[in-house]
Amino acid sequence: MTDLAPSPVVLDLPRRPAPDAARLTDADLVRLADEMECAPAADVVAWAAETFGSSLTLAASMTDGVLIDVASSVAPGIEVVFVDTQYHFQETLGTAEAIAERYPIRLRVVWPTTRPDDLWRTDPDACCNARKVLPMARALQGRLAWVSGLRRVDAPARAETPIIQRDARGLVKVNPLARWTDDDVEAYIAEHDVPVNPLISQGYPSIGCYPCTRAVAAGEDPRAGRWDGTDKTECGLHL
Ligand code: SF4
């Protein structure tokens, strides 16, 4: 992943957030989420870009390029953070490179501060914290808001995901795809010829690090291949 240099994209966002961006209250966010519940995803990103300017970041898992396709169409130059845990499948790294080449984004790859180890075997929560949560927290320092690809159909714990919310750090978290179904995603990918991680067609509907992800059988819960054999269901980025 060291060859994934930041894309040379001219920032096309307002450099400063709107004057009231940092003063949005929780009540404001609830009202905005309600107002944008049925808005197209691109409109939600456009609102976020206009409101937060270069204090907005998009977090990408590189499962597919749908969110980046949507976001870069209305906010070219948007910063995209990819957390390289050092345990990604080669297919995921390849998807990241394909997306960086195709879209007008400023890709920022962040790494953990620890070398590869065996912590995932003994304490996956601590491993996810060191390799995902902390690097993402560093990437979000100084930002007011971030965009995620969370969808309500991903998992029961995500079923109530609002379009806009306050996260545990106090940042505004924008979830433009929250309402999207799997059919919506597939249709968008086909219509826009979006890059997709090739592992999806090999039985990996949910893709994490290779030590903690297995292929699932037809009809199995799409996230059953994540941390199989444990009661862990989330890495912690979205808790
Ligand atoms: Fe570690 Fe597995 Fe979490 Fe990746 S998914 S950070 S390898 S515990």
Side-chain angles (χ1 to χ4, degrees):
M1 187 53 63
T2 51
D3 54 342
L4 256 181
S7 310
V9 174
V10 175
L11 185 65
D12 198 21
L13 295 171
R15 292 201 174 265
R16 294 183 184 279
D20 59 350
R23 293 197 291 270
L24 288 169
T25 66
D26 289 353
D28 290 332
L29 299 184
V30 170
R31 174 180 54 79
L32 287 163
D34 189 47
E35 288 175 3
M36 285 192 247
E37 171 64 22
C38 296
D43 290 3
V44 176
V45 177
W47 168 82
E50 287 166 12
T51 303
F52 300 107
S54 57
S55 283
L56 179 71
T57 283
L58 184 152
S61 68
M62 301 302 177
T63 296
D64 61 54
V66 170
L67 181 62
I68 291 171
D69 191 290
V70 169
S72 64
S73 71
V74 294
I78 191 169
E79 179 184 73
V80 173
V81 170
F82 173 54
V83 178
D84 182 356
T85 64
Q86 301 175 311
Y87 289 122
H88 282 305
F89 290 96
Q90 281 303 317
E91 289 86 345
T92 301
L93 302 181
T95 303
E97 291 179 1
I99 285 173
E101 284 178 15
R102 169 153 168 189
Y103 293 106
I105 58 174
R106 290 178 299 127
L107 181 65
R108 181 179 169 202
V109 183
V110 294
W111 289 271
T113 55
T114 53
R115 294 177 181 278
D117 52 33
D118 282 346
L119 192 58
W120 60 271
R121 293 182 192 275
T122 56
D123 193 344
D125 284 339
C127 184
C128 278
N129 190 57
R131 298 190 175 279
K132 292 186 176 182
V133 178
L134 292 180
M136 192 67 203
R138 286 196 299 274
L140 289 174
Q141 279 179 1
R143 303 294 185 269
L144 291 174
W146 58 301
V147 181
S148 95
L150 280 190
R151 294 188 298 130
R152 293 170 188 162
V153 297
D154 284 339
R158 301 180 180 182
E160 306 295 327
T161 301
I163 301 293
I164 303 170
Q165 63 188 138
R166 179 87 60 198
D167 78 0
R169 304 174 189 85
L171 303 183
V172 175
K173 184 175 176 185
V174 183
N175 310 302
L177 308 183
R179 288 188 307 124
W180 285 36
T181 65
D182 292 345
D183 286 346
D184 291 333
V185 171
E186 286 179 23
Y188 190 95
I189 287 169
E191 185 177 347
H192 297 267
D193 191 26
V194 173
V196 171
N197 192 317
L199 289 173
I200 290 180
S201 59
Q202 298 170 34
Y204 294 81
S206 179
I207 304 167
C209 300
Y210 60 79
C212 306
T213 307
R214 66 162 173 81
V216 300
E220 205 175 1
D221 180 336
R223 285 181 67 85
R226 305 289 298 277
W227 303 287
D228 189 25
T230 77
D231 59 3
K232 183 175 172 64
T233 58
E234 295 279 350
C235 66
L237 278 180
H238 300 291
L239 297 178

